[in-house]
Structure formats: C-alpha cells, structure tokens
Amino acid sequence: MESLTPPYYAVVFRSELRDSAEGYAEAAAQMEALAETQPGYLGIETLRSGNQGVSISYWQDTDAIRSWKAHSEHLMAQQSGRQRWYRWYRVEIAHVERSYDFGEF
Amino acid sequence: MESLTPPYYAVVFRSELRDSAEGYAEAAAQMEALAETQPGYLGIETLRSGNQGVSISYWQDTDAIRSWKAHSEHLMAQQSGRQRWYRWYRVEIAHVERSYDFGEF
C-alpha cells in the first residue's frame, strides 16, 4: 500500500490461531474485501508466521473504526473468530502522529 | 509480554531485509536487549516471515521514543540497517488510546 500522511488511525490486531481453524482463510479474505468498501478505510498490512499473525488496518478516524467494528457481517465473523478460530487476539487502537521511511516499498 | 493499559505509545516498524543481511540477527538481538534497559520502555513484539518483519515496541511517552532513537549505539545500528540490511522500512509512532483482547496469551 502507499505511504499515508499522518495523522490517521491504526488498528493493530495481533493474534494466534488454533491448530484447527477451518474456514478462517476464506472468512479473512472476505472481511478484508468488505473492509475495503468501508468509509474511512485507508489500507491494511498483514504478516503471518505459523499460527501467529499481525494485521494493521488504517483508518481516517475513530468513527470509521467504530462503524467497521459494528458492521453486521463483521460482527458474525468476530463471533466465529472467538468460537472457532482464535486462541487469543489483542487489538490496539492507536493514533498515528508521525511516520518516516527508508528505501522503496 | 503482559497486557498494557492505555494510554501508551507504540512504534510500528515494518521492514523488508535484503537477501543478504549478514550480521543483522546479532545486531537485532543486541538492540532488543539494549532497548529493554531504556527508561520508559514497556515491551516489544516481533513477527517475521521470510524477508519481511513487523516489530511493535511499546513506550511510555514520546520522550522515551526520542531518547532511544538518539541512543549512540542505536544510531550506529540504524546506519548499518540502511547501508547493509534493509531493502526498506517504515516507522509509525502512534498513541494507543484503547485496547481489548480475547483468550489467553
């Protein structure tokens, strides 16, 4: 994704999947596609290694984050996540105040 | 690491290493050990997958982040990073306002 110019918001989602997480990959792809259509969505970056993952989604403001969290299809996915897919997760909502980079993405 | 209670700061460091990054792993371990001794340091979480990585370090305030960025040994490591190890990196300094979690870490 392109560089963003602060200020903006980041939702840092760290997680560990259970050993059996059937249906997770499809649901995650669907949720990512749906998130892209939401007002105030700026992008997402995901890294996975084994059962662990970090997804950082970027948003214009906290209203956009709240709306996405409360979206009906996303609510169902969150419930499946807790019941079937995740061993644990941790979500942090953060206001990005400054950024800098090096090299070519 | 333990759960932190907002507010606090997160430095999100996303990076891609070059195919040859000799000495990187040792330097990264040294910098992590040194960071732990800095005032205002709260913790770090790192995930790597192939050449890509995400490290999220946690700090009490922006003064702590500034001091660590300007630490002499860290400055040398940053220079080596640009000259020898990283294809690119992106750093975001973010104020964590809210967090929640699920399950056992």
Side-chain angles (χ1 to χ4, degrees):
Chain A
M1 60 178 269
E2 289 170 55
S3 286
L4 302 169
T5 305
Y8 51 86
Y9 273 84
V11 177
V12 179
F13 182 83
R14 295 190 286 117
S15 65
E16 186 172 302
L17 291 173
R18 302 180 196 177
D19 291 329
S20 150
E22 210 183 321
Y24 168 75
E26 297 76 9
Q30 273 176 21
M31 283 308 111
E32 217 170 294
L34 186 60
E36 280 173 23
T37 69
Q38 299 305 298
Y41 171 89
L42 300 175
I44 192 166
E45 295 291 340
T46 299
L47 199 70
R48 293 183 209 284
S49 175
N51 280 3
Q52 299 213 1
V54 179
S55 281
I56 309 169
S57 62
Y58 295 102
W59 303 87
Q60 231 151 42
D61 52 41
T62 54
D63 282 348
I65 295 169
R66 247 189 301 270
S67 299
W68 170 234
K69 187 166 193 277
H71 187 291
S72 58
E73 288 178 60
H74 190 200
L75 282 174
M76 284 192 293
Q78 290 169 52
Q79 191 175 38
S80 296
R82 287 186 294 268
Q83 289 175 348
R84 298 161 49 200
W85 297 322
Y86 292 112
R87 189 167 291 150
W88 57 259
Y89 60 74
R90 182 162 175 80
V91 180
E92 292 166 306
I93 291 94
H95 186 234
V96 179
E97 299 177 352
R98 212 158 57 79
S99 73
Y100 55 92
D101 49 41
F102 162 75
E104 296 292 319
F105 291 88
Chain B
M1 60 178 268
E2 288 171 55
S3 287
L4 303 169
T5 304
Y8 52 85
Y9 273 84
V11 177
V12 179
F13 182 82
R14 297 191 284 116
S15 65
E16 186 172 302
L17 292 174
R18 301 181 196 177
D19 291 329
S20 150
E22 210 182 322
Y24 169 76
E26 298 75 9
Q30 273 176 21
M31 282 308 112
E32 217 171 293
L34 186 60
E36 280 174 24
T37 69
Q38 300 305 298
Y41 170 89
L42 300 175
I44 192 166
E45 295 290 340
T46 299
L47 198 69
R48 292 183 209 284
S49 175
N51 280 4
Q52 299 212 1
V54 179
S55 282
I56 308 169
S57 62
Y58 295 103
W59 303 88
Q60 232 151 41
D61 52 41
T62 53
D63 282 348
I65 294 168
R66 246 188 302 270
S67 298
W68 170 234
K69 187 166 193 278
H71 187 290
S72 57
E73 289 177 59
H74 189 200
L75 282 174
M76 283 193 292
Q78 291 168 52
Q79 190 175 37
S80 296
R82 287 186 294 268
Q83 288 174 348
R84 297 161 48 198
W85 298 323
Y86 292 113
R87 190 167 291 149
W88 57 259
Y89 60 73
R90 182 162 175 81
V91 180
E92 292 166 306
I93 292 93
H95 186 233
V96 180
E97 299 176 353
R98 212 158 57 79
S99 73
Y100 56 93
D101 50 42
F102 163 76
E104 296 291 320
F105 291 88

